[in-house]
Amino acid sequence: MDLPFREARQTSPSPDSPSVGPRSINLSIAERQAICASWEKASTQSDIGCELVARLLNDNRTRFRALLECKSGSFLGSGNYTTEDVNGMNRARSVADGVNCFFNKVISKLMDHNYIEEIQDLSLQLGAMHFRMKVWFQAENWLCVKNCLLDSVVSALLKDTKGTYLICGGIKKVQTVEKHITHAWFKFVQFIIQNMKKGFLSEALNSDSHNQPKTECASPCSSSSNHSI
């Protein structure tokens, strides 16, 4: 199965590149409309929050499983987790709800005149919240979260039986997601992650973190009451 995001990741600049500023979202009206429409479609096909949490649990680079074990006091083992498993774990389900809540909120801002400032502010706040909740990020963790989220959206869109198909070898139909949609999502999620990181680092600079015990982790989550991603 071809996931167009893989190509975008290779050609797009890194979130940490000096040439990429936190305000460089640069989405056209058509791209914003595509994100809104594809999110609505993806959300009807799958629980994106659950998909993301399951992917983070199964990606050893994120150390998300270790975080949930630390927060819940339960040993999760080494097997692969499904969305059904996520629904059965209170802490994981809370994070999934937070993902859906956050993206419903930021996507609802996309057609506003000042959508850049609104989405940036929400992302900065979320990044700062992760620091306050002691969800500690490393450089690779940001990339893992972004990639898992993008893959979750693509996988949900590919479940739509009325979606776009390509003909391979004149016989076989292969379902795909249109490139302009995947490119728009890449820019959108990268903008959010950039500003989450900026908010996280800004909060770190304003806090006396040296005297606080740290638990390294790689996932966007916080307490169940805050429904963070």
Side-chain angles (χ1 to χ4, degrees):
M1 183 180 295
D2 178 35
L3 295 185
F5 284 131
R6 296 300 180 187
E7 179 180 353
R9 289 172 195 156
Q10 294 174 358
T11 59
S12 300
S14 164
D16 296 325
S17 171
S19 64
V20 180
R23 297 174 62 84
S24 60
I25 189 169
N26 193 29
L27 289 171
S28 67
I29 292 178
E31 286 177 321
R32 285 182 273 154
Q33 291 173 334
I35 291 171
C36 292
S38 58
W39 173 256
E40 182 177 358
K41 180 183 292 186
S43 297
T44 62
Q45 298 295 326
S46 179
D47 185 326
I48 304 299
C50 270
E51 290 283 352
L52 173 62
V53 171
R55 289 174 185 272
L56 291 174
L57 282 170
N58 295 329
D59 189 333
N60 292 330
R61 295 171 299 174
T62 68
R63 301 188 66 187
F64 183 61
R65 190 175 302 207
L67 171 70
L68 285 189
E69 289 178 337
C70 177
K71 296 291 185 179
S72 66
S74 302
F75 178 65
L76 301 182
S78 58
N80 283 340
Y81 281 81
T82 66
T83 54
E84 289 76 16
D85 295 324
V86 171
N87 278 320
M89 297 185 288
N90 290 336
R91 173 68 65 171
R93 179 66 255 183
S94 175
V95 176
D97 289 340
V99 172
N100 293 328
C101 179
F102 177 78
F103 275 91
N104 281 330
K105 185 178 295 185
V106 293
I107 287 173
S108 74
K109 307 294 184 184
L110 273 173
M111 302 312 297
D112 291 353
H113 177 70
N114 60 333
Y115 76 97
I116 294 178
E117 290 79 8
E118 291 180 314
I119 295 174
Q120 183 181 37
D121 287 344
L122 290 169
S123 303
L124 289 169
Q125 293 169 20
L126 185 61
M129 181 187 298
H130 279 73
F131 181 86
R132 292 194 297 270
M133 299 306 298
K134 300 180 182 179
V135 182
W136 308 96
F137 284 81
Q138 297 177 351
E140 186 183 40
N141 302 150
W142 297 99
L143 181 62
C144 289
V145 171
K146 181 179 73 173
N147 289 349
C148 286
L149 177 58
L150 292 173
D151 286 344
S152 296
V153 173
V154 167
S155 295
L157 291 173
L158 290 174
K159 293 179 180 179
D160 181 11
T161 57
K162 297 180 180 180
T164 302
Y165 288 82
L166 296 177
I167 304 298
C168 295
I171 301 176
K172 185 179 180 181
K173 285 186 176 182
V174 178
Q175 195 168 10
T176 185
V177 178
E178 295 180 52
K179 191 171 183 178
H180 75 277
I181 296 176
T182 63
H183 185 61
W185 267 98
F186 179 88
K187 291 195 291 184
F188 180 52
V189 173
Q190 179 166 273
F191 179 77
I192 289 171
I193 295 296
Q194 283 176 337
N195 283 286
M196 280 185 64
K197 184 175 182 179
K198 182 179 179 182
F200 181 92
L201 295 176
S202 178
E203 186 71 14
L205 290 174
N206 293 330
S207 302
D208 183 14
S209 60
H210 298 294
N211 296 325
Q212 299 178 9
K214 296 185 179 182
T215 301
E216 293 181 356
C217 77
S219 63
C221 76
S222 73
S223 67
S224 57
S225 61
N226 286 306
H227 293 298
S228 171
I229 70 165

